[in-house]
Amino acid sequence: MAKDIEASGPEAGEFTAKDYTDPPPAPLIDVDELTKWSLYRAVIAEFIATLLFLYITVATVIGYKHQTDATASGPDAACGGVGILGIAWAFGGMIFILVYCTAGISGGHINPAVTFGLFLARKVSLVRALLYIIAQCLGGICGVGLVKGFQSAYFVRYGGGANELADGYSKGTGLAAEIIGTFVLVYTVFSATDPKRNARDSHVPVLAPLPIGFAVFMVHLATIPITGTGINPARSLGAAVIYNKDKAWDDQWIFWVGPLIGAAIAALYHQFVLRASAAKLGSFRSSA
């Protein structure tokens, strides 16, 4: 049991100890996990959550492009639609809702990059991580497939909601945008779900899905003009598979390499810089 020593009182003359427990590192390969229904229930939850996420968000993107198409909606079309702000809210809001719904079942990853980061931090086993990523990618494909089925007249015409590097930006810029955007997201996930933070700041109620959803919202505002905002390989793959045009596939590597690098940096930063520094500070205070 670790201890966290905090100052209290007006002059910080008294110290109180708060107990918190870090969960043990997940085993690299846990074969016994394959015999448990809880694993498959979590995998199903990830599939359904990613399906719903892609259906709502890609439908929002297609609807916005149709509403702002002057040839389809008239000369005032440029003033219509939800705008980039509305698209960002759709992505961030759906993450808030779905993480809230699935956090107690699967952890509410809904993103291979998040799963990869948590795997590197030994929060999930390799078996669970691989099954989650497969479920997320299949859910993304099915979710975009539903959008195409319901909006077949507009889906291909308006780009299928696929992530593509915008004109005027280099591939290096797009890759950097995806790395930084995913770092913001995964860093927020680690911070919002940190058991040590929850123990230390127990007087401050934190609804973990809220900052995670806001992180997605803010990153979309910044990177929609550059890459359309991936930061989720399942989202990018699902749209690319159903849209199936060369441009979407040519840029697809950016939406895998960038998010995985960003997630890895966030995991290393949180686990080996922030948490390590905090542990040393706690030991110093305890010895004092």
Side-chain angles (χ1 to χ4, degrees), residues 10-284:
E11 298 179 358
E14 299 177 357
F15 293 88
T16 59
K18 281 191 175 182
D19 294 339
Y20 67 94
T21 303
D22 275 320
L28 180 61
I29 299 177
D30 187 359
V31 178
D32 291 340
E33 200 171 24
L34 292 171
T35 65
K36 298 177 180 178
W37 165 244
S38 60
L39 171 63
Y40 299 103
R41 179 182 63 187
V43 170
I44 293 170
E46 287 292 311
F47 171 81
I48 295 298
T50 313
L51 183 153
L52 294 174
F53 175 62
L54 266 293
Y55 170 71
I56 295 296
T57 54
V58 172
T60 301
V61 172
I62 299 297
Y64 164 68
K65 290 187 176 181
H66 173 64
Q67 290 171 329
T68 55
D69 183 356
T71 61
S73 302
D76 296 329
C79 299
V82 296
I84 290 180
L85 184 64
I87 293 174
W89 271 122
F91 279 88
M94 280 304 293
I95 287 296
F96 169 71
I97 292 167
L98 294 170
V99 172
Y100 180 84
C101 292
T102 60
I105 302 170
S106 65
H109 297 191
I110 322 173
N111 185 336
V114 171
T115 300
F116 180 65
L118 292 173
F119 165 70
L120 292 180
R122 299 292 300 278
K123 305 294 185 183
V124 296
S125 69
L126 178 61
V127 171
R128 183 176 291 265
L130 289 176
L131 290 178
Y132 274 20
I133 290 172
I134 293 170
Q136 291 156 359
C137 291
L138 291 176
I141 293 170
C142 292
V144 181
L146 285 178
V147 177
K148 183 175 182 180
F150 294 150
Q151 301 190 27
S152 57
Y154 305 128
F155 184 82
V156 175
R157 178 178 181 179
Y158 297 119
N163 287 125
E164 297 177 353
L165 185 65
D167 294 337
Y169 292 98
S170 68
K171 292 186 182 297
T173 299
L175 181 63
E178 290 296 307
I179 291 173
I180 295 171
T182 310
F183 174 86
V184 171
L185 169 59
V186 179
Y187 176 39
T188 304
V189 170
F190 275 107
S191 298
T193 59
D194 189 345
K196 185 170 186 177
R197 178 190 182 97
N198 293 338
R200 184 186 63 222
D201 299 333
S202 58
H203 60 288
V204 180
V206 176
L207 184 62
L210 185 59
I212 295 171
F214 262 107
V216 172
F217 167 69
M218 296 304 296
V219 170
H220 274 75
L221 288 182
T223 58
I224 282 176
I226 304 172
T227 62
T229 308
I231 68 171
N232 183 337
R235 176 261 185 272
S236 301
L237 178 66
V241 168
I242 301 301
Y243 182 51
N244 199 28
K245 300 295 182 181
D246 289 344
K247 175 64 173 172
W249 285 118
D250 290 343
D251 295 339
Q252 185 65 200
W253 69 271
I254 295 175
F255 303 104
W256 280 89
V257 175
L260 294 181
I261 292 176
I265 295 172
L268 294 173
Y269 174 62
H270 185 269
Q271 294 298 108
F272 299 106
V273 177
L274 299 186
R275 289 303 300 272
S277 299
K280 292 178 181 178
L281 179 60
S283 299
F284 173 78

